Amino acid sequence: MLLVLNSWIGLLLGILSISASMGLKLKLVKIPPYKHRLESALLECHYELNGQRKGHSSLDGTNRRHHAYQSDYHSERFDEEEKLYSIKWYKDNEEFYRYVPSASQPIKSYKIEGIRVDPNHSDGTKVLLRGLTLKSSGVYRCEISAEAPSFDSVQGEGRMDVIYLPKDGPHISDSERKSYQNGETMELNCTSGRSYPASNLQWYLNDVLVTDPNNIIHYPSVQNQHGLITTFLGLSMVVNHRHYIDGTIRIKCVASLSPVIWRSGQESVVQWEQPTIDNRVAMLLANVWVNYRKSAGYEY
């Protein structure tokens, strides 16, 4: 009795082992993290079915493998083959592509804003998207399902952002001014070019990043046509002699996106020469010095 029980347990474990090793497995989901507007994007979903790797080629549903387990006590054959039912692609949880190998028309796509499928270059392992727009940004998910009796299902996802780099800018306002006197308040505004996502603006004084929040003025960004964004950043500071290096003050505004997207960034630079001391001030200083020397008993 114990021998029979152990044999049945061994049979059951053998079947489960075959199912686990030869079932449906997700191997790799490839989704580009960044793409430029109007480019194409290739989405790939690699999986393993019945021990065979599916990827870099279209599925035709005809390549099958059968796995049998022969029991010492039963002559019946256990067919552990799993058959592919469908592969579906979603953007932000909305289905836009379906591949069903058993259907008369295996490929079917659905209209979603920002999605244009190229059916001639899409199949059971990949989907090609053409003419990306800013609306194409989102989370993409691949879902693979097997037929009965297992109804196994595996899925994987990744995010893709479509970007638009600014064609110009940034620009600094009031850059026509020639100089600032000590004690004057310098007020400047920096405007980025239109981009997506929004550009990040930073001020530099003599190539040193300005971090004092009392000097930085934040303004709300503006969304333009087609979803492009313009950002603004103000600078306000009282000029003193310490700001001049070798007689020059240098102000720079740098616009950048994520370092992954746009490593170099763009910048706008203005600089002013240190103004000469006002003549009236110079005369006043001279008179004070003369009066001091006379009061001290110096002769001229």
Side-chain angles (χ1 to χ4, degrees):
M1 182 68 179
L2 183 59
L3 179 62
V4 174
L5 179 62
N6 288 338
S7 298
W8 275 105
I9 293 176
L11 173 62
L12 179 61
L13 291 177
I15 295 175
L16 293 177
S17 176
I18 292 175
S19 299
S21 61
M22 297 302 182
L24 179 61
K25 298 179 183 178
L26 181 67
K27 305 302 289 186
L28 179 67
V29 175
K30 295 177 66 175
I31 298 170
Y34 299 105
K35 278 291 181 178
H36 292 275
R37 190 169 68 104
L38 302 181
E39 281 188 335
S40 299
L42 183 64
L43 315 179
E44 299 181 65
C45 198
H46 301 268
Y47 62 97
E48 191 175 277
L49 184 63
N50 300 320
Q52 291 186 327
R53 182 73 176 265
K54 307 294 181 178
H56 301 294
S57 62
S58 61
L59 297 175
D60 56 13
T62 59
N63 194 2
R64 310 292 192 189
R65 283 185 63 183
H66 296 268
H67 303 277
Y69 182 89
Q70 183 67 43
S71 169
D72 292 336
Y73 297 92
H74 301 274
S75 60
E76 65 189 60
R77 171 174 282 185
F78 292 89
D79 189 354
E80 298 301 329
E81 173 190 315
E82 281 198 279
K83 297 180 180 179
L84 178 69
Y85 173 65
S86 69
I87 298 178
K88 300 177 183 179
W89 279 93
Y90 300 82
K91 176 186 175 289
D92 298 329
N93 295 321
E94 189 172 359
E95 184 181 357
F96 67 88
Y97 179 86
R98 179 180 298 188
Y99 178 83
V100 181
S102 60
S104 57
Q105 293 183 341
I107 293 177
K108 187 174 183 180
S109 59
Y110 305 91
K111 288 186 177 180
I112 294 179
E113 190 175 15
I115 297 295
R116 185 160 66 91
V117 175
D118 183 346
N120 297 322
H121 295 85
S122 303
D123 54 31
T125 60
K126 62 183 182 294
V127 177
L128 183 63
L129 304 181
R130 300 278 192 187
L132 297 176
T133 70
L134 300 184
K135 297 290 186 180
S136 305
S137 298
V139 176
Y140 289 82
R141 175 164 51 91
C142 167
E143 182 182 83
I144 308 167
S145 300
E147 288 185 350
S150 70
F151 296 107
D152 285 344
S153 178
V154 292
Q155 59 183 351
E157 66 180 30
R159 180 171 182 85
M160 181 178 73
D161 284 302
V162 179
I163 65 174
Y164 182 90
L165 299 182
K167 294 182 178 180
D168 58 0
H171 303 287
I172 297 178
S173 65
D174 202 23
S175 58
E176 301 296 325
R177 182 156 180 175
K178 303 213 173 171
S179 65
Y180 282 94
Q181 303 287 346
N182 285 339
E184 265 192 289
T185 299
M186 178 171 57
E187 293 184 341
L188 302 173
N189 285 319
C190 182
T191 304
S192 74
R194 296 183 304 166
S195 68
Y196 186 88
S199 296
N200 179 49
L201 298 178
Q202 292 177 308
W203 286 106
Y204 286 79
L205 171 63
N206 297 321
D207 294 323
V208 177
L209 178 65
V210 179
T211 58
D212 189 341
N214 296 321
N215 298 137
I216 303 296
I217 304 174
H218 295 277
Y219 299 105
S221 58
V222 173
Q223 187 162 347
N224 305 281
Q225 190 178 13
H226 306 303
L228 301 180
I229 301 172
T230 301
T231 54
F232 309 89
L233 190 66
L235 177 68
S236 178
M237 59 188 306
V238 177
V239 176
N240 61 60
H241 67 278
R242 294 190 302 273
H243 294 146
Y244 287 95
I245 298 178
D246 296 329
T248 301
I249 184 171
R250 176 183 171 91
I251 300 292
K252 178 170 66 176
C253 177
V254 175
S256 62
L257 299 182
S258 167
V260 177
I261 304 175
W262 186 18
R263 295 184 182 277
S264 60
Q266 292 185 359
E267 62 182 39
S268 179
V269 180
V270 293
Q271 62 183 33
W272 297 276
E273 299 295 328
Q274 187 171 14
T276 58
I277 299 177
D278 186 273
N279 286 333
R280 290 170 297 174
V281 176
M283 288 177 59
L284 176 60
L285 290 174
N287 289 336
V288 170
W289 179 245
V290 169
N291 292 335
Y292 169 77
R293 290 178 65 88
K294 285 183 178 179
S295 64
Y298 292 97
E299 297 295 335
Y300 292 89

